Amino acid sequence: MPSQDPSHAQALQDQYEIRPDPVALTHNHDDPSQNADSGVDYEPYPAKSIPISAEHEKIVKAITSLYSGSASKEDMEVYAHDAIYDDPWSYCDTRYKIAGQWYGIPKIMASSKTLATEIVSDTPTEIIYKQKQEYKPRPLYVSKEVNSLVTLTLDGEGKVRYHKDQWNEKDYSHEGLGKIMKELNGDHLTKITQPPKDL
């Protein structure tokens, strides 16, 4: 698959990236002892989740299914063709490259389960939620739970244009060696995970 024009990817980032305020969104006022030193509490409390539309529920369900190893073309359709995925390890600037991440889950994980979510912000063009994911990598088969803050930016057609997954309170600088390594991972993982070419 052809690589995204860097200037086009930058334009997507400029238009759709949201930089959420993790403390404002997740600080636990009811039980401050649950907050990290940075003031965030990424532990999801489903009972506190704010209501969202059926359309947004469908998007969240598709995304959590991908986190859980569905490797499904149907679930991938929540992304626009030109979309960005951004987490501590990868930066992908097309839907096909994003699929490279998700199609790798069943290959490297014995299991991956979304244990809980909590919607903390919802507008017509964004969904922000806390997520607890349990990963069990091969060949160790030792479970690891990861809490994160997931931000989905949507376009006018309700497609995900920017998917950001933050594991702590720090946002991503898009600079230096870290950005280069994330882009390399995003660019080349598809050669290993081999998602369908027609995504």
Side-chain angles (χ1 to χ4, degrees), residues 119-191:
I119 309 295
V120 297
S121 179
D122 180 72
T123 74
T125 58
E126 72 176 45
I127 308 168
I128 305 178
Y129 68 94
K130 296 192 287 185
Q131 175 174 286
K132 178 187 286 291
Q133 195 74 18
E134 180 191 73
Y135 297 100
K136 187 180 290 185
R138 307 175 194 273
L140 301 177
Y141 297 95
V142 176
S143 298
K144 171 68 174 178
E145 293 182 359
V146 176
N147 290 337
S148 63
L149 186 68
V150 177
T151 301
L152 307 174
T153 310
L154 314 177
D155 63 18
E157 297 180 355
K159 295 288 189 179
V160 176
R161 287 292 196 144
Y162 205 107
H163 177 166
K164 179 180 290 185
D165 188 342
Q166 292 172 258
W167 292 7
N168 56 41
E169 79 285 357
K170 295 179 181 178
D171 211 329
Y172 306 126
S173 68
H174 305 305
E175 296 177 351
L177 181 60
K179 173 67 182 300
I180 293 171
M181 296 304 294
K182 287 172 59 168
E183 287 181 336
L184 285 172
N185 188 23
D187 287 347
H188 296 289
L189 191 59
T190 54
K191 298 173 185 176

Side-chain angles (χ1 to χ4, degrees), residues 5-34:
D5 177 355
S7 63
H8 185 60
Q10 183 64 51
L12 277 176
Q13 179 179 303
D14 292 343
Q15 182 175 358
Y16 291 109
E17 183 185 20
I18 294 173
R19 293 189 172 273
D21 183 338
V23 176
L25 288 166
T26 72
H27 185 80
N28 193 326
H29 297 280
D30 297 329
D31 185 0
S33 68
Q34 298 300 312

Side-chain angles (χ1 to χ4, degrees), residues 57-72:
E57 284 183 358
K58 183 179 179 180
I59 292 170
V60 173
K61 184 178 186 302
I63 295 294
T64 56
S65 292
L66 289 165
Y67 273 101
S68 298
S70 72
S72 160

Side-chain angles (χ1 to χ4, degrees), residues 35-111:
N35 294 318
D37 291 342
S38 59
V40 302
D41 179 12
Y42 280 3
E43 178 74 24
Y45 305 99
K48 296 182 178 180
S49 191
I50 65 174
I52 59 176
S53 68
E55 290 80 8
H56 283 193
E57 284 183 358
K58 183 179 179 180
I59 292 170
V60 173
K61 184 178 186 302
I63 295 294
T64 56
S65 292
L66 289 165
Y67 273 101
S68 298
S70 72
S72 160
K73 290 177 69 175
E74 181 180 359
D75 289 332
M76 283 299 306
E77 288 178 359
V78 299
Y79 293 101
H81 182 269
D82 293 334
I84 290 175
Y85 174 82
D86 192 7
D87 77 3
W89 303 104
S90 301
Y91 184 92
C92 308
D93 57 17
T94 68
R95 183 168 61 194
Y96 181 72
K97 292 180 186 179
I98 295 171
Q101 307 296 308
W102 297 132
Y103 278 71
I105 296 275
K107 296 180 185 295
I108 65 174
M109 296 292 170
S111 68

